[in-house]
Amino acid sequence: NLYIPVSDCNPEGNGKSPDDADSDGVTDALDAYPNDAKRAFNNYYPSASADAGATVVFEDNWPRKGDYDMNDLAISYKYQIVTDAKNKVVDIIGDYSLYATGGTFENAFAVEFPVNRSAVKSINGANLEEGQTNAVAILFNNMRNEMTEWNTDPQKPTSAAKNYTVNINLENRPTLSSFGLGVYNP
């Protein structure tokens, strides 16, 4: 009647944990998804907190002198990386908020993830860019179509931030240590 969990040291284990409803080897008290054997843990970037985020800004005329305002695109982001009981990446969930689109060019915005494009089982909220080795999620193709106002001049009207959520489900899952937290290329 002794329960011994499966591990690298003990690949056979013994019995079933009375506190592991989905039998994934992670007790319900530690399992963020106690009824889903394919998911177990939430990992966050850029902070260990689910609520913390960061912002990236872009200047489309850089390094042209006199244009250092860095207001041609301002977008915040935060990521939730869901892993299974063996710490393999199952889902990538990116939340983005577009705050300013001050550039005159019709710039797109995308994020490259450190995983082969063929490992993406499904994607919602974005499109995968064709012709790329890694998974590149395109949020929008033309920032000029995303906001009515540019949100760069305090003397002019503003638009509310525009929010995006991208969900990527992976197959042939990489470990979290090889996938990394934060090596995503905007």
Side-chain angles (χ1 to χ4, degrees), residues 51-86:
D51 298 325
T55 302
V56 63
V57 294
F58 175 73
E59 177 55 53
D60 61 12
N61 284 317
W62 182 268
R64 192 177 89 195
K65 291 185 178 183
D67 195 19
Y68 299 133
D69 52 15
M70 303 301 277
N71 69 354
D72 292 336
L73 181 80
I75 192 165
S76 68
Y77 61 90
K78 60 183 176 180
Y79 295 100
Q80 175 184 349
I81 309 300
V82 180
T83 54
D84 65 13
K86 294 183 179 179

Side-chain angles (χ1 to χ4, degrees), residues 63-152:
R64 192 177 89 195
K65 291 185 178 183
D67 195 19
Y68 299 133
D69 52 15
M70 303 301 277
N71 69 354
D72 292 336
L73 181 80
I75 192 165
S76 68
Y77 61 90
K78 60 183 176 180
Y79 295 100
Q80 175 184 349
I81 309 300
V82 180
T83 54
D84 65 13
K86 294 183 179 179
N87 235 7
K88 292 191 174 190
V89 178
V90 178
D91 299 308
I92 306 161
I93 303 165
D95 287 314
Y96 306 88
S97 293
L98 180 62
Y99 290 105
T101 58
T104 56
F105 296 118
E106 296 176 353
N107 290 312
F109 183 78
V111 179
E112 177 186 20
F113 294 96
V115 64
N116 194 292
R117 186 181 194 283
S118 64
V120 175
K121 184 175 181 180
S122 65
I123 183 169
N124 294 304
N127 296 309
L128 281 181
E129 185 174 11
E130 296 291 332
Q132 300 294 327
T133 301
N134 283 351
V136 177
I138 302 171
L139 272 70
F140 51 83
N141 288 312
N142 181 349
M143 69 181 184
R144 295 280 30 99
N145 296 333
E146 298 302 304
M147 300 180 90
T148 306
E149 303 299 331
W150 291 22
N151 292 355
T152 58

Side-chain angles (χ1 to χ4, degrees), residues 1-14:
N1 293 334
L2 178 65
Y3 167 67
I4 301 171
V6 173
S7 68
D8 290 340
C9 295
N10 185 354
E12 295 177 20
N14 186 66

